[in-house]
Amino acid sequence: MKILEERILRDGKVRPGNILKVGGFLNHLIDHQLLDEIGKEISALFCGQNITKILTIEASGIAIACAAAHYVNAPVLFAKKSKTINISNDCYHAEVYSYTHQVSKTIMVEKDFISKDDRVLIVDDFLANGAAIAGLMSIVEQAGATLVGCAVAIEKGFQGGGDELREKGVIVKSLAIIDSMEDGKIVFREQ
Amino acid sequence: MKILEERILRDGKVRPGNILKVGGFLNHLIDHQLLDEIGKEISALFCGQNITKILTIEASGIAIACAAAHYVNAPVLFAKKSKTINISNDCYHAEVYSYTHQVSKTIMVEKDFISKDDRVLIVDDFLANGAAIAGLMSIVEQAGATLVGCAVAIEKGFQGGGDELREKGVIVKSLAIIDSMEDGKIVFREQ
């Protein structure tokens, strides 16, 4: 997605430890016009797939999932990273290691909100080693639902998670794939 | 907002401890059509206010803020509840007690993303005792920005936070105000 790649080049910041900061437009301050275009593009990529639910993980996945939901015309379900007093005890759980928080967390989704009749599109802002998506895929599987595919805004291709999923037959569409950030120079994969 | 009140009556669940569960349509599973209507209504309530930024707090505020952003035509900035490796050290901070998590947390916003030139609308899903909004107002104040007002989906009027803010002169608009949930019966305030 050209406008996303251009924005990453213009406003993204490469930091030590393979960190790409996109907080200025995607996951802290969110450019609502770019977000809308991302939602539209995700919808176009999965057109005709009869998606009944968009599954994401709090927090920064929520914005992209909601933008996609607007065009896909399906509700958003977001996995929670901590137990609150207003969540039921009857949940599906999965373990996810967060690269940005550098801790492992149990994510949860109430069983009432996903079923075997659902056709699920997983959406997130980033895909690096694929830990978050693996956790969300586990929840889809536990629910007996059908996984339509995964859509992410930015894939760090050099961390391998996306290609591992593709090798397993999972449909993974990333709007921008970064194949290298060596010496702070961002190189995108041709798509 | 009639359709929100009707939805709360239909699908909301009152639980002990003044808990209102709306996870089936607002803050776990999100009805994208209702979300869109909420965004539209918030925009209408603050029409002509030249809002430059919508400020919210992760996680469930993000969906509503993004829906409002679409119609208000302003970017979303969300306060983070934990430090990640991709956030700068140069942040505004505030302490917020979370009613649903039952812990106090330090929220943070990067200083680069809010300035004295901003006209800020604070948006959240719930307003009960007002702790989250007070934290967000503190960040607006630290940045020297102008607070236009606060918009929330559901105010628990009987917990007093909204009326305290109004008494201080803050413009607070809630799409549904619940004045009582005694014996599980939800009573809305006439607006």
Side-chain angles (χ1 to χ4, degrees), chain A residues 85-86, chain B residues 13-21 99-100 156 181:
Chain A
I85 53 173
N86 57 1
Chain B
K13 293 186 178 77
V14 179
R15 294 282 181 258
N18 283 330
I19 298 298
L20 174 66
K21 271 196 69 172
Y99 194 74
T100 44
K156 288 153 91 181
M181 300 201 305

Side-chain angles (χ1 to χ4, degrees), chain B residues 100-167:
Chain B
T100 44
H101 287 82
Q102 300 194 301
V103 289
S104 191
K105 288 202 172 179
T106 303
I107 63 168
M108 62 204 85
V109 165
E110 281 196 40
K111 289 185 180 174
D112 278 353
F113 299 149
I114 181 168
S115 81
K116 64 176 178 46
D117 299 325
D118 276 318
R119 292 180 53 80
V120 180
L121 176 65
I122 291 174
V123 168
D124 208 356
D125 55 342
F126 267 94
L127 166 54
N129 53 29
I133 293 209
L136 294 170
M137 282 173 60
S138 163
I139 284 169
V140 172
E141 197 183 334
Q142 290 172 58
T146 303
L147 177 68
V148 170
C150 306
V152 301
I154 303 175
E155 177 179 339
K156 288 153 91 181
F158 58 90
Q159 287 186 251
D163 290 332
E164 278 172 34
L165 289 167
R166 291 182 188 102
E167 277 160 28

